[in-house]
């Protein structure tokens, strides 16, 4: 089964997600993909056995968190934040980069582009 994704504007994201919530859809996951100098974040919802996807294209800054609508999204949004460097605004719980990665882990190991840079262990990563 192929499930197509519909692009939504980042400013409309929360309204779209709220429609799925109010329509009885379950939140399945968010997936982050590198697109050269941007990211594509895919949001997947299910009702019964039917899946629906929406996505945004972003530079990785000021992405609205949907964890206030679906609290379970906080886990995957913290994961995307750590692995790709995407910054989510309004995370219900922000682990501050300590959700999955340890002190000696590389910064944003899955990102092809650099979002954040910090001194770590006396060297830039």
């Amino acid at each position: 089964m192929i499930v197509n994704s519909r692009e939504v504007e980042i400013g409309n994201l929360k309204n779209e997600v709220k429609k799925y919530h109010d329509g009885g859809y379950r939140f399945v996951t968010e997936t982050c993909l590198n697109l050269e100098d941007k990211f594509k974040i895919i949001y997947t919802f299910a009702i019964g056995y039917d899946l629906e996807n929406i996505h945004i294209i972003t530079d990785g800054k000021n992405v609205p968190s949907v964890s206030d609508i679906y609290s379970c999204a906080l886990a995957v949004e913290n994961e995307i934040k750590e692995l790709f460097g995407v910054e989510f605004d309004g995370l219900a719980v922000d682990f501050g980069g300590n959700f999955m990665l340890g002190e000696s882990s590389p910064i944003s190991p899955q990102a092809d582009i650099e979002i954040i840079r910090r001194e770590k262990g006396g060297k830039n990563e």
Side-chain angles (χ1 to χ4, degrees):
M1 167 174 60
I2 296 175
V3 178
N4 292 322
S5 180
R6 176 175 54 87
E7 185 171 355
V8 299
E9 295 295 322
I10 198 164
N12 241 359
L13 176 64
K14 290 184 81 126
N15 289 335
E16 292 291 325
V17 170
K18 184 86 168 99
K19 288 178 192 175
Y20 282 104
H21 179 271
D22 294 348
Y25 283 77
R26 296 181 312 277
F27 176 84
V28 177
T29 194
E30 283 175 53
T31 305
C32 186
L33 304 170
N34 283 307
L35 300 177
E36 295 182 26
D37 62 340
K38 297 210 180 274
F39 298 100
K40 179 178 185 177
I41 302 177
I42 304 168
Y43 300 79
T44 304
F45 305 93
I47 193 161
Y49 294 106
D50 297 323
L51 295 174
E52 290 194 23
N53 292 322
I54 60 173
H55 70 270
I56 59 170
I57 306 296
T58 177
D59 61 2
K61 298 174 186 159
N62 302 358
V63 176
S65 171
V66 298
S67 62
D68 60 330
I69 301 168
Y70 287 102
S71 59
C72 56
L74 74 90
V76 73
E77 288 181 345
N78 273 282
E79 179 181 347
I80 290 170
K81 177 179 178 177
E82 287 183 29
L83 295 179
F84 292 90
V86 173
E87 291 294 330
F88 288 94
D89 289 340
L91 267 167
V93 178
D94 187 345
F95 288 90
N98 297 307
F99 182 64
M100 295 178 60
L101 300 178
E103 277 296 311
S104 61
S105 298
I107 307 300
S108 307
Q110 299 298 313
D112 286 343
I113 61 174
E114 185 178 283
I115 300 293
I116 58 173
R117 187 169 186 83
R118 67 179 180 208
E119 287 285 327
K120 190 171 188 181
K123 61 181 180 179
N124 275 328
E125 294 193 35

